[in-house]
Amino acid sequence: MDSVALWCTGALIAGGIYWFVCVMGPAEQKGKRATDISGGSISADKVQDNYDSYWSFFRRPKEIETKEKVPDFVDTFYNLVTDIYEWGWGQSFHFSPSLPGRSDADATRLHEEMAVDLIRASPGDRILDVGCGIGGPMRAIAAHSRARVVGITINEYQVDRARAHNKKVGLDALCEVVCGNFLQMPFPDASFDGAYSIEATCHAPRLDDVYAEVLRVLKPGALYVSYEWVTTDKYRGDDLNHVDIIQGIERGDALPGLRSHADIAATARRVGFEVLEERDLAAPPAGPWWKRLKMGRIAYWRNHMLIKISAALGVAPKGTVDVHDMLFKTADYLTRGGDTGIFSPMHMILCRKPKDSPPADSSA
Ligand SMILES: C=C(CC[C@@H](C)[C@H]1CC[C@H]2C3=CC[C@H]4[C@H](C)[C@@H](O)CC[C@]4(C)[C@H]3CC[C@]12C)C(C)C
Ligand SMILES: C[S@@+](CC[C@H](N)C(=O)[O-])C[C@H]1O[C@@H](n2cnc3c(N)ncnc32)[C@H](O)[C@@H]1O
């Protein structure tokens, strides 16, 4: 073998090792690899059909999409994206302000701990996580506060992932996960000492419905904090660029319609909460939450190639390439939402259930 051939063989072997160890191996989250990407609870041969039916929700005029259909559409979305999120982002499916000199993992954890500090959870309290994903926030919050956390998600696949992670890190005694709809929760009235929702209630077709359910299951005097996805006061409905960005965010994130920051406190009061504080956690001097999205562009391209190869080899389900492509475009809309300042994923509202709150009307 001459020296050129030897060189090429060496380079190929080194490249292959790099590929498997650095690229296929540790993605954002240890334990998830490109080869593990599935369609959640959807069988591999149905992923493409489900992706197509996800899009049909947006192709029809809004009026004929009833609010009853939204939870199923959201469930389909999370079957399609959960593995890609976990692989490419981590176990917490939300944003956080970037913190100079701190890692993304630290920024994420501090943003989660702030939620549970705001509701003043103590060891032994029973706290509700409304829309818990695969439980990244739940585990950080249980470890930080020693409160018992019960999470609810509409997506069965997320329940399995969350339970597996809880067990793996020895937090299954503090963390419980339930599959259900947060618009009709399977919990008795006044059964929680506090509640939080992190970037989840934006999926509710009517915010009143989820806030009223949270109010029902809280004990009188208990606190609830929510990080809401909203349009800010910079958003102009007559600016075509603004409308394009917001519609792009809605399509790529399974949102039945983004709400204005001005609607959040009004809704909380309407259902019976006292509003203690309201603040956009993305407002200056907070570091840009979208910085992490911008910096990920090279990694997205690498991910795209990996998914294409996996799909071509029949390892990843057909349709995964389209799902990844949709997320790639969504990252751009979200970044534009951040750059223009017309969108915030962390409009924080802190509420209290009044001490003298009457019991929910069970005859209604
Ligand atoms: C709260 C919600 C989800 C917020 C974020 C966790 C996700 C929003 C957009 C997602 C992503 C976009 C680009 C993907 C990239 C192309 C891929 O290679 C790796 C995963 C992404 C980075 C992915 C990760 C999660 C998001 C940032 C919504 C749904 C209400
Ligand atoms: C973007 S994820 C955020 C998850 C989690 N809060 C986190 O930060 O990691 C939104 C979550 O809301 C859940 N969700 C959306 N609509 C729901 C509904 N109607 N009932 C229950 N969960 C719902 C999704 O299943 C998902 O777990």
Side-chain angles (χ1 to χ4, degrees):
M1 200 187 274
D2 65 19
S3 59
V4 177
L6 209 75
W7 248 100
C8 292
T9 315
L12 263 176
I13 292 173
I17 292 173
Y18 171 79
W19 186 265
F20 268 95
V21 177
C22 302
V23 181
M24 299 280 281
E28 275 294 321
Q29 208 57 52
K30 289 195 187 80
K32 250 303 157 213
R33 290 162 195 272
T35 45
D36 296 329
I37 287 169
S38 74
S41 311
I42 302 170
S43 62
D45 58 324
K46 297 271 164 27
V47 169
Q48 185 73 60
D49 288 353
N50 275 266
Y51 173 77
D52 295 341
S53 85
Y54 172 78
W55 275 105
S56 62
F57 186 90
F58 294 101
R59 272 187 228 115
R60 286 191 287 267
K62 265 200 174 139
E63 311 78 72
I64 65 166
E65 285 303 350
T66 60
K67 72 182 174 86
E68 286 70 29
K69 288 190 193 152
V70 172
D72 277 351
F73 145 83
V74 171
D75 182 34
T76 301
F77 173 80
Y78 281 106
N79 277 323
L80 297 172
V81 303
T82 292
D83 277 343
I84 302 182
Y85 274 20
E86 187 179 348
W87 172 57
W89 196 255
Q91 294 175 17
S92 292
F93 295 174
H94 63 81
F95 295 105
S96 40
S98 62
L99 298 174
R102 305 292 289 264
S103 65
D104 292 331
D106 277 355
T108 302
R109 183 179 45 79
L110 291 168
H111 195 57
E112 292 163 351
E113 290 177 358
M114 177 196 268
V116 75
D117 289 343
L118 280 165
I119 59 169
R120 294 179 222 145
S122 314
D125 279 356
R126 189 164 183 260
I127 303 296
L128 173 65
D129 181 335
V130 184
C132 64
I134 61 165
M138 163 193 281
R139 286 180 286 282
I141 279 170
H144 175 68
S145 65
R146 303 313 291 175
R148 291 171 297 147
V149 185
V150 180
I152 183 165
T153 166
I154 193 91
N155 183 261
E156 198 139 12
Y157 181 70
Q158 292 190 336
V159 173
D160 294 343
R161 289 299 299 160
R163 285 184 182 152
H165 284 303
N166 291 346
K167 202 159 182 192
K168 203 166 167 189
V169 296
L171 281 168
D172 46 332
L174 281 183
C175 299
E176 191 187 321
V177 193
V178 172
C179 192
N181 186 347
F182 58 38
L183 304 170
Q184 288 162 319
M185 291 194 272
F187 306 121
D189 296 355
S191 51
F192 287 95
D193 302 294
Y196 64 89
S197 47
I198 302 185
E199 301 187 25
T201 47
C202 49
H203 289 297
R206 290 183 65 241
L207 193 61
D208 300 61
D209 295 344
V210 57
Y211 277 14
E213 263 302 84
V214 175
L215 184 84
R216 178 183 72 75
V217 301
L218 283 179
K219 294 179 183 168
L223 299 178
Y224 168 51
V225 67
S226 189
Y227 295 168
E228 293 290 342
W229 276 36
V230 294
T231 55
T232 69
D233 54 7
K234 293 207 172 99
Y235 174 73
R236 297 278 164 270
D238 56 359
D239 182 324
L240 290 182
N241 184 39
H242 287 188
V243 174
D244 179 49
I245 294 171
I246 296 305
Q247 288 182 349
I249 293 175
E250 289 171 354
R251 283 194 303 268
D253 294 288
L255 304 180
L258 261 170
R259 18 192 95 87
S260 159
H261 68 103
D263 295 339
I264 307 300
T267 306
R269 289 196 184 95
R270 196 162 48 238
V271 304
F273 274 117
E274 294 164 5
V275 176
L276 305 184
E277 195 184 340
E278 192 185 18
R279 188 157 44 101
D280 184 3
L281 302 177
W289 54 266
W290 61 100
K291 192 170 155 203
R292 187 175 168 194
L293 280 177
K294 266 191 177 166
M295 291 191 321
R297 281 196 183 149
I298 295 174
Y300 303 162
W301 181 83
R302 174 205 66 188
N303 292 353
H304 186 69
M305 296 313 291
L306 274 172
I307 286 181
K308 266 197 125 148
I309 294 168
S310 295
L313 295 174
V315 179
K318 197 168 165 283
T320 318
V321 179
D322 287 341
V323 177
H324 189 265
D325 205 41
M326 169 186 83
L327 293 180
F328 183 78
K329 291 186 180 119
T330 307
D332 193 51
Y333 283 115
L334 286 161
T335 306
R336 285 164 62 194
D339 277 333
T340 52
I342 63 168
F343 164 74
S344 169
M346 50 190 75
H347 182 91
M348 184 277 285
I349 182 157
L350 177 65
C351 313
R352 179 167 49 211
K353 177 168 177 169
K355 283 216 166 76
D356 54 359
S357 191
D361 181 4
S362 51
S363 65

mmCIF file of all heavy atoms in Angstrom, residues 59-79:
data_model
loop_
_atom_site.group_PDB
_atom_site.id
_atom_site.type_symbol
_atom_site.label_atom_id
_atom_site.label_comp_id
_atom_site.label_asym_id
_atom_site.label_seq_id
_atom_site.Cartn_x
_atom_site.Cartn_y
_atom_site.Cartn_z
ATOM 1 N N ARG A 59 -53.794 23.927 7.236
ATOM 2 C CA ARG A 59 -54.244 24.204 5.871
ATOM 3 C C ARG A 59 -55.703 24.624 5.842
ATOM 4 O O ARG A 59 -56.140 25.338 4.970
ATOM 5 C CB ARG A 59 -54.019 22.979 4.979
ATOM 6 C CG ARG A 59 -52.618 23.008 4.383
ATOM 7 C CD ARG A 59 -52.434 21.904 3.358
ATOM 8 N NE ARG A 59 -51.186 21.217 3.635
ATOM 9 C CZ ARG A 59 -51.082 19.961 4.007
ATOM 10 N NH1 ARG A 59 -52.152 19.214 4.172
ATOM 11 N NH2 ARG A 59 -49.906 19.417 4.237
ATOM 12 N N ARG A 60 -56.476 24.138 6.842
ATOM 13 C CA ARG A 60 -57.906 24.477 6.855
ATOM 14 C C ARG A 60 -58.118 25.820 7.537
ATOM 15 O O ARG A 60 -57.348 26.190 8.418
ATOM 16 C CB ARG A 60 -58.684 23.393 7.602
ATOM 17 C CG ARG A 60 -58.819 22.131 6.772
ATOM 18 C CD ARG A 60 -59.810 21.188 7.409
ATOM 19 N NE ARG A 60 -59.269 20.565 8.606
ATOM 20 C CZ ARG A 60 -58.648 19.392 8.612
ATOM 21 N NH1 ARG A 60 -58.486 18.735 7.503
ATOM 22 N NH2 ARG A 60 -58.188 18.879 9.719
ATOM 23 N N PRO A 61 -59.208 26.530 7.144
ATOM 24 C CA PRO A 61 -59.459 27.809 7.817
ATOM 25 C C PRO A 61 -59.673 27.580 9.315
ATOM 26 O O PRO A 61 -60.234 26.565 9.713
ATOM 27 C CB PRO A 61 -60.745 28.316 7.164
ATOM 28 C CG PRO A 61 -61.075 27.381 6.074
ATOM 29 C CD PRO A 61 -60.201 26.189 6.142
ATOM 30 N N LYS A 62 -59.213 28.522 10.135
ATOM 31 C CA LYS A 62 -59.256 28.374 11.594
ATOM 32 C C LYS A 62 -60.661 28.054 12.111
ATOM 33 O O LYS A 62 -60.817 27.282 13.049
ATOM 34 C CB LYS A 62 -58.742 29.642 12.270
ATOM 35 C CG LYS A 62 -57.270 29.536 12.618
ATOM 36 C CD LYS A 62 -56.859 30.525 13.683
ATOM 37 C CE LYS A 62 -55.413 30.235 14.065
ATOM 38 N NZ LYS A 62 -54.597 31.376 14.260
ATOM 39 N N GLU A 63 -61.699 28.635 11.437
ATOM 40 C CA GLU A 63 -63.074 28.494 11.953
ATOM 41 C C GLU A 63 -63.529 27.043 12.020
ATOM 42 O O GLU A 63 -64.324 26.675 12.863
ATOM 43 C CB GLU A 63 -64.100 29.251 11.084
ATOM 44 C CG GLU A 63 -63.771 30.682 10.729
ATOM 45 C CD GLU A 63 -62.757 30.804 9.611
ATOM 46 O OE1 GLU A 63 -63.103 30.517 8.471
ATOM 47 O OE2 GLU A 63 -61.601 31.201 9.913
ATOM 48 N N ILE A 64 -63.043 26.188 11.080
ATOM 49 C CA ILE A 64 -63.572 24.821 11.102
ATOM 50 C C ILE A 64 -62.742 23.901 12.007
ATOM 51 O O ILE A 64 -63.038 22.736 12.156
ATOM 52 C CB ILE A 64 -63.729 24.220 9.684
ATOM 53 C CG1 ILE A 64 -62.367 24.057 9.006
ATOM 54 C CG2 ILE A 64 -64.672 25.038 8.833
ATOM 55 C CD1 ILE A 64 -62.449 23.170 7.781
ATOM 56 N N GLU A 65 -61.671 24.439 12.604
ATOM 57 C CA GLU A 65 -60.901 23.652 13.572
ATOM 58 C C GLU A 65 -61.507 23.878 14.952
ATOM 59 O O GLU A 65 -61.345 24.929 15.542
ATOM 60 C CB GLU A 65 -59.425 24.082 13.561
ATOM 61 C CG GLU A 65 -58.653 23.597 12.366
ATOM 62 C CD GLU A 65 -58.673 22.080 12.202
ATOM 63 O OE1 GLU A 65 -59.126 21.368 13.111
ATOM 64 O OE2 GLU A 65 -58.254 21.624 11.127
ATOM 65 N N THR A 66 -62.208 22.891 15.479
ATOM 66 C CA THR A 66 -62.840 23.091 16.778
ATOM 67 C C THR A 66 -61.805 22.927 17.880
ATOM 68 O O THR A 66 -60.797 22.240 17.700
ATOM 69 C CB THR A 66 -63.964 22.072 16.996
ATOM 70 O OG1 THR A 66 -63.373 20.788 16.935
ATOM 71 C CG2 THR A 66 -65.051 22.210 15.946
ATOM 72 N N LYS A 67 -62.084 23.539 19.037
ATOM 73 C CA LYS A 67 -61.100 23.462 20.118
ATOM 74 C C LYS A 67 -60.966 22.034 20.656
ATOM 75 O O LYS A 67 -59.944 21.666 21.201
ATOM 76 C CB LYS A 67 -61.417 24.468 21.222
ATOM 77 C CG LYS A 67 -62.613 24.181 22.087
ATOM 78 C CD LYS A 67 -62.784 25.315 23.079
ATOM 79 C CE LYS A 67 -64.045 25.182 23.895
ATOM 80 N NZ LYS A 67 -63.945 24.366 25.071
ATOM 81 N N GLU A 68 -61.988 21.212 20.414
ATOM 82 C CA GLU A 68 -61.929 19.811 20.881
ATOM 83 C C GLU A 68 -60.816 19.030 20.175
ATOM 84 O O GLU A 68 -60.296 18.062 20.696
ATOM 85 C CB GLU A 68 -63.267 19.084 20.634
ATOM 86 C CG GLU A 68 -64.398 19.465 21.578
ATOM 87 C CD GLU A 68 -64.922 20.873 21.346
ATOM 88 O OE1 GLU A 68 -64.858 21.360 20.191
ATOM 89 O OE2 GLU A 68 -65.357 21.511 22.327
ATOM 90 N N LYS A 69 -60.461 19.474 18.956
ATOM 91 C CA LYS A 69 -59.462 18.720 18.180
ATOM 92 C C LYS A 69 -58.034 19.041 18.629
ATOM 93 O O LYS A 69 -57.099 18.332 18.276
ATOM 94 C CB LYS A 69 -59.585 19.057 16.692
ATOM 95 C CG LYS A 69 -60.809 18.475 16.038
ATOM 96 C CD LYS A 69 -60.681 18.668 14.532
ATOM 97 C CE LYS A 69 -61.998 18.391 13.841
ATOM 98 N NZ LYS A 69 -62.139 19.146 12.606
ATOM 99 N N VAL A 70 -57.866 20.142 19.377
ATOM 100 C CA VAL A 70 -56.507 20.618 19.669
ATOM 101 C C VAL A 70 -55.672 19.614 20.473
ATOM 102 O O VAL A 70 -54.528 19.334 20.102
ATOM 103 C CB VAL A 70 -56.538 22.015 20.327
ATOM 104 C CG1 VAL A 70 -55.166 22.435 20.804
ATOM 105 C CG2 VAL A 70 -57.088 23.034 19.337
ATOM 106 N N PRO A 71 -56.202 19.026 21.572
ATOM 107 C CA PRO A 71 -55.339 18.092 22.319
ATOM 108 C C PRO A 71 -54.800 16.938 21.467
ATOM 109 O O PRO A 71 -53.629 16.570 21.600
ATOM 110 C CB PRO A 71 -56.258 17.596 23.444
ATOM 111 C CG PRO A 71 -57.222 18.729 23.652
ATOM 112 C CD PRO A 71 -57.474 19.278 22.280
ATOM 113 N N ASP A 72 -55.606 16.409 20.536
ATOM 114 C CA ASP A 72 -55.124 15.315 19.678
ATOM 115 C C ASP A 72 -54.016 15.794 18.739
ATOM 116 O O ASP A 72 -53.030 15.101 18.498
ATOM 117 C CB ASP A 72 -56.271 14.774 18.807
ATOM 118 C CG ASP A 72 -57.097 13.783 19.587
ATOM 119 O OD1 ASP A 72 -56.676 13.412 20.696
ATOM 120 O OD2 ASP A 72 -58.182 13.395 19.088
ATOM 121 N N PHE A 73 -54.208 17.010 18.248
ATOM 122 C CA PHE A 73 -53.221 17.580 17.327
ATOM 123 C C PHE A 73 -51.893 17.844 18.075
ATOM 124 O O PHE A 73 -50.800 17.572 17.567
ATOM 125 C CB PHE A 73 -53.873 18.825 16.717
ATOM 126 C CG PHE A 73 -53.012 20.007 16.418
ATOM 127 C CD1 PHE A 73 -52.282 20.085 15.246
ATOM 128 C CD2 PHE A 73 -52.967 21.084 17.301
ATOM 129 C CE1 PHE A 73 -51.511 21.201 14.964
ATOM 130 C CE2 PHE A 73 -52.202 22.196 17.027
ATOM 131 C CZ PHE A 73 -51.461 22.247 15.853
ATOM 132 N N VAL A 74 -52.019 18.273 19.319
ATOM 133 C CA VAL A 74 -50.818 18.523 20.137
ATOM 134 C C VAL A 74 -50.132 17.191 20.464
ATOM 135 O O VAL A 74 -48.896 17.070 20.413
ATOM 136 C CB VAL A 74 -51.191 19.295 21.438
ATOM 137 C CG1 VAL A 74 -50.012 19.375 22.387
ATOM 138 C CG2 VAL A 74 -51.689 20.699 21.099
ATOM 139 N N ASP A 75 -50.931 16.184 20.757
ATOM 140 C CA ASP A 75 -50.386 14.854 21.055
ATOM 141 C C ASP A 75 -49.603 14.326 19.844
ATOM 142 O O ASP A 75 -48.482 13.813 19.979
ATOM 143 C CB ASP A 75 -51.559 13.927 21.427
ATOM 144 C CG ASP A 75 -51.096 12.539 21.805
ATOM 145 O OD1 ASP A 75 -50.008 12.413 22.393
ATOM 146 O OD2 ASP A 75 -51.825 11.569 21.505
ATOM 147 N N THR A 76 -50.185 14.473 18.647
ATOM 148 C CA THR A 76 -49.491 14.034 17.422
ATOM 149 C C THR A 76 -48.160 14.768 17.283
ATOM 150 O O THR A 76 -47.116 14.163 17.015
ATOM 151 C CB THR A 76 -50.367 14.325 16.173
ATOM 152 O OG1 THR A 76 -51.592 13.638 16.326
ATOM 153 C CG2 THR A 76 -49.677 13.917 14.894
ATOM 154 N N PHE A 77 -48.207 16.077 17.504
ATOM 155 C CA PHE A 77 -46.981 16.891 17.398
ATOM 156 C C PHE A 77 -45.891 16.333 18.323
ATOM 157 O O PHE A 77 -44.750 16.138 17.898
ATOM 158 C CB PHE A 77 -47.307 18.345 17.760
ATOM 159 C CG PHE A 77 -46.113 19.254 17.840
ATOM 160 C CD1 PHE A 77 -45.541 19.779 16.692
ATOM 161 C CD2 PHE A 77 -45.561 19.603 19.071
ATOM 162 C CE1 PHE A 77 -44.434 20.628 16.758
ATOM 163 C CE2 PHE A 77 -44.462 20.451 19.155
ATOM 164 C CZ PHE A 77 -43.896 20.966 17.989
ATOM 165 N N TYR A 78 -46.257 16.047 19.582
ATOM 166 C CA TYR A 78 -45.222 15.590 20.525
ATOM 167 C C TYR A 78 -44.745 14.172 20.217
ATOM 168 O O TYR A 78 -43.605 13.832 20.531
ATOM 169 C CB TYR A 78 -45.664 15.782 21.975
ATOM 170 C CG TYR A 78 -45.467 17.240 22.364
ATOM 171 C CD1 TYR A 78 -46.531 18.101 22.497
ATOM 172 C CD2 TYR A 78 -44.184 17.767 22.495
ATOM 173 C CE1 TYR A 78 -46.341 19.453 22.783
ATOM 174 C CE2 TYR A 78 -43.981 19.109 22.774
ATOM 175 C CZ TYR A 78 -45.055 19.945 22.924
ATOM 176 O OH TYR A 78 -44.840 21.270 23.187
ATOM 177 N N ASN A 79 -45.604 13.345 19.596
ATOM 178 C CA ASN A 79 -45.079 12.055 19.138
ATOM 179 C C ASN A 79 -43.983 12.272 18.105
ATOM 180 O O ASN A 79 -42.970 11.584 18.087
ATOM 181 C CB ASN A 79 -46.200 11.207 18.522
ATOM 182 C CG ASN A 79 -46.987 10.471 19.584
ATOM 183 O OD1 ASN A 79 -46.421 10.017 20.576
ATOM 184 N ND2 ASN A 79 -48.283 10.365 19.396
#
